[in-house]
Each structure stands twice: as C-alpha cells, then as structure tokens.
Amino acid sequence: MMKKTKWLLCVLAFFIVPVAEAQIRFGVKGGMNIATVKFNKEVANPENITGFQVGPMFEIVEPITGWGIDAAVLYTQKGFEWDDKRIRNDYLEVPVNLKWKIMTPVVKPFVAAGPYVGFRIAGKKAWEVDKLYNDVKGQINAGNFSAGLNFSVGAELLKCLQLSLNYGWGLTDNYKTFEANNPKEYIGKTHTWSMSAAVFF
C-alpha cells in the first residue's frame, strides 16, 4: 500500500509542479484575415476577401520546456468574393492551441496548433448569385456553426508582444450553394490565412 501511495504522489508531482511554475498571462489579440472558400465541385471560382480579427486571449507556458496552451475569444470576419459580390460573415471564434516556445532571452520563436469552433453572429444568411455552374442562377447559404484546425508560427518579442502567421483549415460546411430548382447542394469549406499581433499585460 505504501509503495502504491508513493508512486501516486510521484505521478501527481510530475504534473502539478510544472503547472505551479507555469507562466499565466492575459492579453489582447488582433490582426488581418485573408479568407476564401473551396467547394467540393467547381461551381464557381471564389476569390479572397479580407477582414479582421480581435479579442482577448490567454497563454499558459511552462518556462523550462516551453510547452503550453493558448486560447482566445475572437470576433473574426470570413467569407469570399464571387462574381464581384462580397460574401462575408462575422463569427465569434474560440481557438485553443497546443504551443511550443523556444525560451531564448529576447526573441522566442514558437509553433502552435489546435482546433477552433465558431458561431455566426452577423452577416446575411443567404445570397442570390447569377453565375453558378453552367451559368445558371442559384443561391448561397451560410452556416451558423464552424469548426476546423489552426496552424501557427511566430515569435515573441520583449516578453510582451507576439507576432504570428496562422492558417485556418475549415472542416465544416460553412457555405452551401445549389442551382435554382435543383435540390443538389455543393458544399464549401473556409480556408483562412491571418497575420496577427498579441499584446500581453
């Protein structure tokens, strides 16, 4: 019984000590999005659209190994341009990333990856379009929920500023389009590049 208790205490110490020593910080993140949508069939040729993202974030990092987690609640704009029509929606997005930071003195490079979920809070639900597959009229519908994966690379400067480049790979059907009088749907997933800066207090 004593041996089991000793092993249990060792395992708990292995997890508790790094957490107790971890650096927890809060800040604000903002940046620019370059987004588009890829459909499962070439019903059109969507072009990029620009938007912004902004919101609070936090980071917890173990100072010796550099491993940690960051998360944010972002107001973010995504969509695409189709035949001179700007199709854009605003989302409340929550990314949670596993992060590894190289703990060098002045500049700390890092990589991060993890899932995100988003909820549409502004923007139109549907758009009428003139040029779908075979130049027929159709409609585009926006979904209310989105999810995907984030991949980031960046650097921290002077312990308070983080600059990063992020790629968001949408996994859910953010947009659906169909020809007039045709029930068959074509689905589109969002793909987003973003450049952002985070300032920690």
Side-chain angles (χ1 to χ4, degrees), residues 6 25 37 41 52 55 64 94 111 123 155-156 181 184 186 199 201:
K6 187 182 293 185
R25 302 188 298 170
V37 170
K41 185 176 180 180
F52 69 88
I64 297 176
V94 182
V111 292
E156 180 179 308
N181 302 319
K184 185 176 180 180
Y186 305 108
V199 177
F201 308 121

Side-chain angles (χ1 to χ4, degrees), residues 46 81 85 106 126 153 170 183 185:
E81 188 167 317
K85 187 184 296 288
V106 179
V153 61
E185 294 179 332

Side-chain angles (χ1 to χ4, degrees), residues 4 38 46 70 79 94 129 139 148 163 190 193 197-199 201:
K4 289 183 178 179
K38 294 183 180 179
D70 71 24
V94 182
V129 292
Q139 187 177 37
L163 304 176
T190 302
W193 287 97
V199 177
F201 308 121

Side-chain angles (χ1 to χ4, degrees), residues 2 7 27 29 55 60 80 108 110-111 141 177:
M2 290 296 295
W7 277 107
K29 183 177 182 178
I60 176 169
F80 59 104
K108 297 178 174 64
F110 65 83
V111 292
N141 291 338
T177 183

Side-chain angles (χ1 to χ4, degrees), residues 165-188:
L165 176 66
N166 181 83
Y167 177 69
W169 179 24
L171 299 178
T172 53
D173 303 339
N174 299 96
Y175 294 93
K176 295 181 179 180
T177 183
F178 50 90
E179 300 174 8
N181 302 319
N182 183 354
K184 185 176 180 180
E185 294 179 332
Y186 305 108
I187 58 175

